[in-house]
Amino acid sequence: MNKVPLTVRGAELLKEELQRLKSIERPKVIEAIAEARSHGDLSENAEYDAAKERQAFVEGRIAELEGKLSNAQIIDPSTLDADGRIVFGATVELMDLETEDEVTYQIVGDDEADIKFGKVSVNSPIARALIGKEAGDVAEVVAPGGIREYEVLDVKYL
């Protein structure tokens, strides 16, 4: 299986979720199943069905997180020596050459990506266009609305 790139923070978030699922959610579900069983006939017991469905979701998510973490390649951007080039984990300041709007993104793994927080997936069109560029370069991004050009203003490894 391929290694999944994660920043240190992304790995911490996945570990926190895994811990919460194992220590809080799993016992809650077991308790809900026991409670529903105590109500008798399981064939027409909606509480039991709902608890079993929740159990399947929790166990599936635990397995998914364990798989991702076991295949994670954790990358600490602050330890990178990329000579100012944009690489996984880099935080990049850009200017849209059409609108002159400035934006800042961090290039992260798929599981960490959240545009609201300025985190874009390494597999996104913008990240693919930026990888290898450095301050002063212009990146052409093929977006759904057409080609957009961004000038790289700064590259940081935080």
Side-chain angles (χ1 to χ4, degrees), residues 95-101 138 145-151:
M95 180 173 60
D96 185 323
L97 292 180
E98 185 180 323
T99 64
E100 296 192 355
D101 290 339
V138 173
I147 295 177
R148 302 196 66 128
E149 292 186 322
Y150 292 93
E151 180 181 348

Coordinates of all heavy atoms in Angstrom, one line a residue, residues 95-101 138 145-151:
M95 N -0.5 35.5 -5.2 CA -1.3 36.6 -5.7 C -2.0 36.2 -7.0 O -1.3 35.8 -7.9 CB -0.5 37.9 -5.9 CG -1.5 39.1 -6.4 SD -0.7 40.7 -6.5 CE 0.6 40.4 -7.7
D96 N -3.3 36.3 -7.1 CA -4.1 36.0 -8.3 C -3.8 37.1 -9.2 O -4.1 38.3 -8.9 CB -5.5 35.9 -7.9 CG -6.4 35.5 -9.1 OD1 -6.1 35.9 -10.3 OD2 -7.4 34.8 -8.9
L97 N -3.1 36.9 -10.4 CA -2.7 37.9 -11.3 C -3.9 38.6 -11.9 O -3.7 39.8 -12.4 CB -1.8 37.4 -12.3 CG -0.4 36.9 -11.8 CD1 0.5 36.4 -12.9 CD2 0.3 38.0 -11.0
E98 N -5.0 38.0 -12.0 CA -6.2 38.6 -12.6 C -6.9 39.6 -11.6 O -7.2 40.7 -12.0 CB -7.2 37.6 -13.0 CG -8.4 38.1 -13.8 CD -9.4 37.0 -14.2 OE1 -8.9 35.9 -14.6 OE2 -10.6 37.3 -14.2
T99 N -7.1 39.2 -10.4 CA -7.8 40.0 -9.4 C -6.9 40.7 -8.4 O -7.3 41.6 -7.7 CB -8.8 39.1 -8.6 OG1 -8.0 38.2 -7.8 CG2 -9.7 38.4 -9.4
E100 N -5.6 40.3 -8.4 CA -4.6 40.9 -7.5 C -5.0 40.5 -6.0 O -4.4 41.1 -5.1 CB -4.4 42.4 -7.7 CG -3.8 42.6 -9.0 CD -3.3 44.1 -9.2 OE1 -3.4 44.9 -8.3 OE2 -2.7 44.3 -10.2
D101 N -5.9 39.6 -5.8 CA -6.2 39.1 -4.4 C -5.0 38.3 -4.0 O -4.4 37.5 -4.7 CB -7.4 38.2 -4.4 CG -8.7 39.0 -4.7 OD1 -8.7 40.3 -4.5 OD2 -9.7 38.4 -5.1
V138 N 5.5 32.2 -11.6 CA 4.0 32.2 -11.9 C 3.6 30.8 -12.2 O 4.2 30.1 -13.0 CB 3.7 33.2 -13.1 CG1 2.3 33.1 -13.5 CG2 4.1 34.6 -12.7
G145 N -13.3 27.1 -13.9 CA -13.6 28.3 -14.6 C -12.6 28.8 -15.6 O -12.7 29.8 -16.2
G146 N -11.6 27.9 -15.9 CA -10.6 28.3 -16.8 C -9.2 28.4 -16.2 O -9.1 28.0 -15.0
I147 N -8.2 28.8 -16.9 CA -6.9 28.9 -16.4 C -6.7 30.1 -15.6 O -7.1 31.2 -16.0 CB -5.8 28.9 -17.6 CG1 -5.9 27.5 -18.3 CG2 -4.5 29.2 -17.0 CD1 -5.0 27.4 -19.5
R148 N -6.2 30.0 -14.4 CA -5.9 31.1 -13.5 C -4.4 31.1 -13.3 O -3.7 30.1 -13.2 CB -6.6 30.9 -12.1 CG -8.1 30.8 -12.3 CD -8.8 31.0 -11.1 NE -8.7 32.4 -10.6 CZ -9.7 33.2 -10.3 NH1 -10.9 32.7 -10.4 NH2 -9.5 34.4 -9.9
E149 N -3.8 32.3 -13.2 CA -2.4 32.5 -12.9 C -2.2 33.1 -11.6 O -2.8 34.1 -11.2 CB -1.8 33.4 -14.0 CG -1.8 32.8 -15.4 CD -1.0 33.6 -16.4 OE1 -1.1 34.8 -16.3 OE2 -0.3 33.0 -17.2
Y150 N -1.2 32.5 -10.8 CA -0.9 33.0 -9.5 C 0.6 33.2 -9.5 O 1.4 32.4 -9.9 CB -1.2 31.9 -8.4 CG -2.7 31.7 -8.2 CD1 -3.3 30.7 -8.9 CD2 -3.4 32.4 -7.3 CE1 -4.7 30.5 -8.7 CE2 -4.8 32.2 -7.1 CZ -5.4 31.2 -7.9 OH -6.7 31.0 -7.7
E151 N 1.0 34.4 -8.9 CA 2.4 34.6 -8.7 C 2.7 34.2 -7.2 O 2.0 34.5 -6.3 CB 2.7 36.1 -8.8 CG 4.2 36.4 -8.5 CD 4.6 37.9 -8.6 OE1 3.8 38.7 -9.1 OE2 5.7 38.2 -8.2

